[in-house]
Amino acid sequence: MANQSALFLGEFLKSPAVVGAIAPSSRRLSSAVAVPIPERGDPVVVELGAGTGPFTEEIQRRLGGRGRHIALEINPRLADHLRVRHPGLEVLVADAAGLPQLLAERGLAAADVIVSGLPWAAFTPARQAVLLRAVVDSLAPHGAFTTFSYVHARMLGPAVRFRRTLARTFEEVVPGRTVWRNLPPAFVFHARRARVGAAKDRAN
Ligand SMILES: C[S@@+](CC[C@H](N)C(=O)[O-])C[C@H]1O[C@@H](n2cnc3c(N)ncnc32)[C@H](O)[C@@H]1O
């Protein structure tokens, strides 16, 4: 655990605007983001910005060998760490913006659940829009998208902008309770039912 925290902090210091956090998420937050993963069936679960893998671990636990779990991480060092920690997991060193194509290349039409660890508040509005479009374009019509926001940043411009864009993009966006046992405290957004034309609108 100390190793993971040190690796994560080291990568944050090198690229704060990409890593976007000083510490890996806690078990409590991981449990909250993974709630939409169904208990039965073989869902396709995509994880964006897996980092050192706290969400990965919870997703693997919930799937218990069912379905398919693909983890995307743009930072090769973090992706390497993830591969060692979870041998057999599909870890892609990739930009989440390319998700629709990555799924198509693997013969997958869509994901049932997309769990995001991306640091939305660190992104420019244009980057937020591109990444959300990739999510909408990759999510099955019945699918669920979860992501999180840090409590201390929720009133700041980038976080407010992301929340508004999320509300414009999905018919249903439900914020969860604050997870105090996280550094820093955070809360989850559960989003479903992308609005018709949402992805196309944002592209214009
Ligand atoms: C806030 S950290 C969260 C890491 C981990 N999910 C957790 O909760 O501890 C964000 C992660 O997203 C990764 N990331 C940032 N932009 C990305 C992108 N466009 N595509 C894929 N991963 C990205 C970063 O390298 C970092 O590991």
Side-chain angles (χ1 to χ4, degrees):
M1 194 62 156
N3 272 353
Q4 284 168 45
S5 298
L7 171 65
F8 195 84
L9 180 60
E11 295 307 304
F12 168 75
L13 292 173
K14 281 188 229 161
S15 340
V18 177
V19 175
I22 55 165
S25 297
S26 67
R27 204 173 283 179
R28 287 273 172 106
L29 186 62
S30 306
S31 175
V33 292
V35 160
I37 295 172
E39 288 181 1
R40 283 182 286 274
D42 293 299
V44 174
V45 180
V46 172
E47 182 183 0
L48 307 178
T52 52
F55 295 173
T56 317
E57 193 164 320
E58 180 62 16
I59 293 167
Q60 288 276 292
R61 192 187 70 73
R62 286 187 189 236
L63 286 175
R66 294 175 297 119
R68 191 150 169 190
H69 177 185
I70 300 174
L72 268 62
E73 174 50 59
I74 204 165
N75 179 314
R77 286 197 70 211
L78 294 176
D80 280 349
H81 171 87
L82 212 55
R83 285 199 187 98
V84 172
R85 203 171 153 202
H86 297 280
L89 175 71
E90 282 181 85
V91 179
L92 311 181
V93 181
D95 184 343
L99 182 60
Q101 194 183 331
L102 294 167
L103 290 180
E105 284 166 4
R106 284 157 184 79
L108 296 167
D112 300 298
V113 181
I114 299 180
V115 174
S116 166
L118 297 176
W120 296 100
F123 298 147
T124 63
R127 186 81 173 132
Q128 286 183 353
V130 165
L131 287 161
L132 257 185
R133 188 170 71 231
V135 167
V136 170
D137 288 349
S138 306
L139 197 61
H142 61 269
F145 170 59
T146 56
T147 188
F148 72 96
S149 179
Y150 293 118
V151 171
H152 70 274
R154 72 188 188 285
M155 304 309 275
L156 302 179
V160 172
R161 197 160 42 235
F162 174 66
R163 214 161 49 229
R164 286 198 189 125
T165 309
L166 199 60
R168 274 202 306 272
T169 305
F170 289 92
E171 288 180 28
E172 181 185 298
V173 179
V174 180
R177 300 226 305 251
T178 299
V179 179
W180 294 106
R181 284 200 199 173
N182 194 71
L183 184 66
F187 63 99
V188 173
F189 288 112
H190 296 279
R192 287 179 186 274
R193 299 194 306 277
R195 292 182 196 279
V196 176
K200 220 187 320 155
D201 290 349
R202 283 194 314 280
N204 296 330

